[in-house]
Amino acid sequence: PSPSDDLDNLHAFDFTKMSAVNTCPTWGVIRYGHHKVFNTSSRAMALEAGSACHEVFAAARCFDLLAYSRNAYPNIPTETIRTLVERRTTELFGKSRATDFFSVYDSSEDERTRILRSGLAILNSGSFYDDPADKRRTLSNLEEACIAYLDRLEFGKNVPFVQGDYVGIETPINLVIEYEFTNENGVEVSRKIRFVGRIDGVHCHRNDPNSPFIEENKTASRLGDAWEQSFEMSHQVTGYAAAASTIIGIPLSMARIRGLCIPQPRMYDTNGVSTVTVFRKPHQFEGWAKWVIHTVEMYL
């Protein structure tokens, strides 16, 4: 956003809101425009479980950057990386939980033990708790799923992206999009909106820090071919790639989606943990921009 933008008076749109408007404009406006929902006493367990797991995913990225930054960023002092990660963990988890994370990281145990302990420490110190009405999304099932996820990660291969004070872990999006179009009456219209959201990770290969890509984490009750193929055309991936390119000033065209099944199947190697890599071409960014304009105009 520029200093002249009055952000408070600009309509904010995230991917969830735009998808809802495209699914059913009336429902999208009522639910995400006026924030009206039916009264219910039940908890949104899928959302709560996903949020708890995302804290573990963020902790894993912090561990990865701390442990392997020297390979990817030989010109950045280790002390600088440590300071950046300390600041980011405090922002994400609070001072007390960040201190617990570093106490595990600095221990003398083997790496796998420290990875699992630090991740589970963040999970168990969070706000998630069991609901007697939901036997699938329990804390023990979340722990099992997170252990499977952490065991499958290749630490040190694709570390989070660092640029100055920026660390590519849980990047907030708050960008102003300005566009012009001719309406049905032949009148030129200029409009500004806010595109908001959060990118789970911006990463780079340890041998090529100048070619970053985004990572998105998803939790689901089932993974498979249909789940994987849904990201080939997903506007969420395209929009986040466009936003990350704007934030760091480097064009991004690749995204990696990491899926985690909750609860885990008996054999987690079979659709328990899934990784999908997709690419975006220029015409797909153009298609995303047209989709955003169409959605906003339908909403307004």
Side-chain angles (χ1 to χ4, degrees):
S2 68
S4 62
D5 290 325
D6 185 2
L7 297 183
D8 291 336
N9 291 325
L10 294 181
H11 287 281
F13 292 85
D14 61 9
F15 174 74
T16 302
K17 180 177 179 177
M18 289 190 285
S19 294
V21 171
N22 274 275
T23 301
C24 175
T26 301
W27 176 71
V29 171
I30 292 174
R31 172 63 182 86
Y32 294 98
H34 298 287
H35 306 289
K36 294 183 180 297
V37 296
F38 288 108
N39 289 329
T40 177
S41 59
S42 61
R43 294 164 56 192
M45 292 299 292
L47 182 61
E48 289 188 30
S51 297
C53 289
H54 270 73
E55 290 191 323
V56 178
F57 305 150
R61 290 186 169 92
C62 292
F63 193 106
D64 199 8
L65 183 57
L66 280 170
Y68 294 99
S69 62
R70 185 173 300 176
N71 295 335
Y73 309 107
N75 297 324
I76 302 178
T78 304
E79 296 77 12
T80 301
I81 295 292
R82 174 88 179 201
T83 300
L84 290 173
V85 177
E86 285 179 348
R87 185 188 67 187
R88 196 71 190 108
T89 52
T90 302
E91 292 171 347
L92 292 172
F93 310 127
K95 187 174 181 179
S96 176
R97 298 172 74 197
T99 300
D100 292 341
F101 170 86
F102 276 98
S103 66
V104 175
Y105 177 83
D106 293 330
S107 68
S108 59
E109 297 174 299
D110 63 274
E111 183 176 82
R112 179 178 182 270
T113 300
R114 291 187 295 130
I115 289 172
L116 296 183
R117 282 190 58 206
S118 61
L120 294 181
I122 292 298
L123 176 66
N124 288 299
S125 61
S127 59
F128 183 86
Y129 60 96
D130 287 354
D131 186 334
D134 193 326
K135 302 299 183 183
R136 295 173 60 84
R137 301 177 186 90
T138 63
L139 189 57
S140 61
N141 283 344
L142 264 60
E143 288 180 346
E144 181 184 6
C146 288
I147 290 172
Y149 174 84
L150 294 171
D151 274 338
R152 289 285 295 272
L153 280 181
E154 296 178 292
F155 284 84
K157 184 176 181 180
N158 299 294
V159 297
F161 182 76
V162 174
Q163 184 185 74
D165 291 336
Y166 171 79
V167 178
I169 302 173
E170 295 290 316
T171 301
I173 302 171
N174 188 12
L175 302 178
V176 174
I177 296 178
E178 183 176 5
Y179 61 89
E180 297 179 352
F181 67 99
T182 303
N183 65 17
E184 62 274 11
N185 298 321
V187 178
E188 292 288 335
V189 179
S190 178
R191 198 184 305 283
K192 288 184 178 181
I193 60 140
R194 287 166 54 212
F195 176 51
V196 299
R198 184 175 292 269
I199 305 170
D200 293 333
V202 180
H203 290 249
C204 65
H205 193 276
R206 60 188 173 193
N207 296 325
D208 190 6
N210 297 317
S211 298
F213 60 91
I214 65 170
E215 279 198 0
E216 276 298 300
N217 290 97
K218 302 292 182 183
T219 55
S221 59
R222 179 178 299 177
L223 303 177
D225 291 341
W227 180 88
E228 294 180 358
Q229 292 171 10
S230 68
F231 297 101
E232 291 293 338
M233 301 292 290
S234 171
H235 283 306
Q236 182 181 30
V237 173
T238 312
Y240 283 6
S245 300
T246 303
I247 292 170
I248 67 176
I250 301 175
L252 282 80
S253 60
M254 174 181 155
R256 182 165 289 149
I257 298 89
R258 299 187 180 276
L260 181 63
C261 188
I262 301 174
Q264 287 281 287
R266 292 186 178 181
M267 296 295 292
Y268 73 76
D269 278 330
T270 305
N271 292 337
V273 181
S274 180
T275 301
V276 183
T277 301
V278 295
F279 296 88
R280 290 296 183 263
K281 298 180 180 179
H283 75 271
Q284 291 173 296
F285 289 106
E286 181 180 348
W288 168 78
K290 292 179 178 178
W291 177 76
V292 170
I293 295 172
H294 166 77
T295 305
V296 171
E297 293 308 310
M298 184 164 48
Y299 176 88
L300 297 177

